[in-house]
């Protein structure tokens, strides 16, 4: 089970700055504060962390949290091989040893026992306790813990405990302003700015349709998919159905209502 994606890509991941998030993140890292990023799906949280890891020249270990993710998945475990039992570091332990970033995506999904591990690491002790081996690791200055979650998905049972939340500096992300989003869509979908602007204008109109109880509105990610398909020559209506309306809802009437908006824009 490979939960981590170590290292960082050689080219700097493109990231369109929204406000003071770069400075905040950098200052938090310098002052050894963990950071929490909250925001809706596909708004750039993961891209931002990749970008910052590259900027600060730090190895990045990303863990996609799920409801079965335990402290051992983060820390490591004993494995049995041909030569007997050996210890394998988990992604959190590797990030601590190397002085890199450990990024826990959708952290509210993880099992409660992970909090026990994260608390001493996320406060001024900066210690990781490897219960199974008896080791206590002191995190080096480069180490940073970053977590993210989507407040929209959260149910009442799953919120982060105040004692966990209050160990982090927090950043709120949202979908970019139209001009920035068009620049992102153009760049990521490799289409011209005119087409990207058209898709983003449609996206913003769809986001305003709040009478249909969608779980989430159209993300930047979906706008990129749509623009990419249109750019590749797919008829706009088909691209919008496949990359915008259908991913947003399973309800036939809601999809039809979304397509009405599409038809106004691309009709
Ligand atoms: N500010 C930005 N600069 C550059 N690209 C962006 C930006 N925001 C979004 N994107 C693009 O949108 C895509 C989705 O962003 P990302 O994967 O970072 O979302 P996320 O917030 O991590 O979503 P999720 O909560 O679903 O994991 C990225 O692959 C990237 O192409
Ligand atoms: Mg993400």
């Amino acid at each position: 089970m490979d939960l981590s994606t170590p290292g960082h890509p050689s080219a700097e991941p493109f990231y369109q700055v929204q406000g003071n998030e770069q400075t905040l993140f950098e200052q938090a890292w310098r002052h050894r504060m963990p950071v929490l990023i909250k925001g809706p799906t596909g708004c750039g949280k993961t891209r931002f962390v990749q970008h910052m890891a590259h900027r600060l020249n730090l190895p990045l270990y990303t863990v996609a949290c799920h409801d079965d993710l335990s402290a051992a998945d983060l820390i490591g475990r004993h494995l049995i091989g041909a030569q007997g039992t050996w210890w394998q570091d988990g992604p959190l332990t590797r990030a601590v040893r190397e002085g890199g970033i450990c990024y826990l995506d959708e952290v509210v999904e993880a099992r409660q026992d992970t909090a026990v591990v994260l608390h001493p690491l996320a406060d001024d002790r900066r210690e990781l306790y490897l219960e199974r081996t008896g080791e206590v690791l002191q995190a080096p200055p480069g180490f940073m813990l970053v977590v993210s979650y989507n407040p929209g998905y959260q149910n009442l049972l799953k919120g982060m405990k105040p004692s966990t939340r209050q160990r982090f500096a927090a950043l709120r992300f949202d979908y970019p302003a139209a001009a920035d989003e068009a620049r992102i869509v153009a760049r990521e979908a490799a289409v011209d700015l005119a087409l990207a602007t058209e898709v983003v204008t449609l996206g913003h109109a769809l986001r305003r349709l709040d009478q249909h109880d969608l779980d989430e509105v159209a993300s930047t990610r979906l706008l990129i998919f749509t623009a990419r398909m249109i750019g590749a020559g797919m008829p706009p209506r088909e691209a919008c159905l496949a990359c915008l309306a259908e991913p947003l809802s399973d309800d036939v009437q809601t999809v039809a209502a979304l397509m009405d908006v599409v038809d106004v824009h691309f009709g």
Side-chain angles (χ1 to χ4, degrees), residues 157-178:
L157 292 171
K158 268 194 185 158
M160 271 172 110
K161 282 194 303 190
S163 57
T164 308
R165 297 179 70 102
Q166 293 200 24
R167 282 175 155 77
F168 292 83
L171 285 170
R172 181 185 292 272
F173 273 40
D174 208 340
Y175 299 118

Side-chain angles (χ1 to χ4, degrees), residues 14-16 18 40-47 105 184 188 220-221 224:
F14 164 67
Y15 177 74
Q16 174 72 48
Q18 311 290 315
T41 184
C43 73
K45 301 184 293 294
T46 297
R47 177 62 65 92
D105 204 353
I184 294 167
E188 294 288 305
T220 306
R221 182 184 291 128
I224 293 167

Side-chain angles (χ1 to χ4, degrees), residues 2-3 13 15 95 126 128 136 152 154 172 181 195 203 221 230 232 235 238 266:
D2 186 18
L3 291 165
Y15 177 74
R126 287 173 62 88
L128 181 63
V136 180
Q154 222 179 333
R172 181 185 292 272
E181 198 166 31
L195 172 57
R221 182 184 291 128
I230 298 174
E238 283 176 39
F266 281 113

